[in-house]
Amino acid sequence: FGGAGVTDDEAVEGVRRAIELGIDFLDTSPHYGESERRVGLALEGGWRDKVYLQTKTGTHPSRYHDFSVEATRWSVENSLDLLKTDYFDSVLLHDPQDIEDPLAPDRALHELLRMKEEGIVRHIGLGARNHAFHRRAVETGEIEIVLTYLDYTLLDQSVAETTLPLCRERDVGVILASPLGMGKLAGPEPKGDSRAHAMWAWCRDRGVSIRHLALQFCMAAPIDGIVMYGPANRKQVEEGYAAATTLVPER
């Protein structure tokens, strides 16, 4: 919803259509262009009360990869203003280059914990691809959610051997992001990836939508978690909903 090719009205319509369809978890970030401001517009007029709202800290363009106490507080408060809310259901430490940076004393995690005590943040998580980062964060005992991306899809299930069992053991929530493999499994014929193309051709020959198969594969993952995709407008919201709910033949 934050892209340059999307208008405010399109974003508002898309967010509200998602909520009408029963989607009640919204993720955004200062890193996603105009996303926070537009989602904030969409949640005016009582819509905020219908969703769990998540944003991120650590990748704001003005304080990129700054996990200091000051930058963390500034980023979260700026997000509160843009999203027109007085609390977040969850805030993720976003894509640190070194996991020890945000977890160190008097750095981002400690500031989020202070904000949790203040009622500004209800849950704290990590959004990163590195599985070792997931483990280190979970082992602090303070991380309640892990967002992993690209490593549980039709193309790659490596996170099933690392983070998923760890999170089950520690009762940590999991978000599976990029279920469509950054577009490779979205439906159009994929270029430059022989495995993705072979899967696409297999689905085409059987009259199955690879988008439907890819999304529902993630929804069937051996976790109690959330599968998250990134639509830009009402049409893409409805396509994602259809992909999640249309019956896919077993054979």
Side-chain angles (χ1 to χ4, degrees):
F1 294 121
V6 181
T7 68
D8 287 2
D9 287 345
E10 287 172 334
V12 169
E13 182 185 37
V15 170
R16 292 183 176 177
R17 179 57 177 153
I19 297 170
E20 289 171 349
L21 289 169
I23 295 171
D24 63 359
F25 188 94
L26 296 184
D27 169 85
T28 183
S29 168
H31 189 54
Y32 302 157
E34 292 287 330
S35 177
E36 287 189 318
R37 184 182 64 81
R38 289 173 177 161
V39 172
L41 292 174
L43 296 182
E44 287 185 305
W47 293 82
R48 168 68 180 96
D49 298 334
K50 302 176 185 292
V51 298
Y52 297 95
L53 182 60
Q54 172 175 281
T55 193
K56 306 182 181 76
T57 187
T59 53
H60 192 289
S62 297
R63 306 289 291 268
Y64 198 66
H65 284 150
D66 187 343
F67 290 99
S68 67
V69 164
E70 296 77 14
T72 302
R73 172 75 60 164
W74 173 84
S75 178
V76 173
E77 290 182 347
N78 188 64
S79 295
L80 288 169
D81 289 342
L82 287 171
L83 285 153
K84 306 176 188 296
T85 186
D86 56 6
Y87 75 96
F88 287 116
D89 294 284
S90 51
V91 173
L92 304 187
L93 300 164
H94 194 187
D95 257 349
Q97 295 178 305
D98 176 359
I99 190 59
E100 298 304 328
D101 183 9
L103 303 185
D106 294 319
R107 298 290 285 174
L109 176 58
H110 281 204
E111 188 64 11
L112 290 178
L113 288 169
R114 279 189 279 267
M115 285 188 271
K116 188 175 179 182
E117 292 176 356
E118 297 166 19
I120 296 172
V121 174
R122 294 190 174 177
H123 301 282
I124 300 169
L126 172 71
R129 189 173 186 186
N130 187 307
H131 301 187
F133 286 14
H134 299 163
R135 174 169 289 279
R136 175 70 182 91
V138 169
E139 288 176 346
T140 67
E142 305 290 358
I143 295 298
E144 302 163 272
I145 304 167
V146 168
L147 182 153
T148 177
Y149 62 95
L150 289 177
D151 291 341
Y152 197 91
T153 69
L154 288 175
L155 295 167
D156 186 326
Q157 301 93 48
S158 56
V159 78
E161 303 299 323
T162 55
T163 303
L164 298 195
L166 172 68
C167 288
R168 282 197 302 269
E169 176 188 336
R170 301 296 182 93
D171 195 27
V172 170
V174 175
I175 298 171
L176 301 179
S178 302
L180 303 181
M182 296 294 193
K184 293 179 180 179
L185 305 171
E189 183 175 2
K191 308 293 184 181
D193 187 316
S194 59
R195 291 183 65 237
H197 193 274
M199 290 181 181
W200 174 85
W202 186 94
C203 289
R204 177 202 57 194
D205 293 346
R206 289 160 177 78
V208 174
S209 166
I210 194 169
R211 176 193 291 266
H212 295 185
L213 186 62
L215 194 58
Q216 293 189 35
F217 176 79
C218 291
M219 291 173 65
I223 54 163
D224 290 325
I226 292 169
V227 177
M228 193 167 72
Y229 72 108
N233 51 46
R234 178 183 179 131
K235 180 176 182 290
Q236 291 182 12
V237 165
E238 292 176 342
E239 288 173 347
Y241 180 81
T245 57
T246 300
L247 180 66
V248 175
E250 290 187 10
R251 296 179 182 273

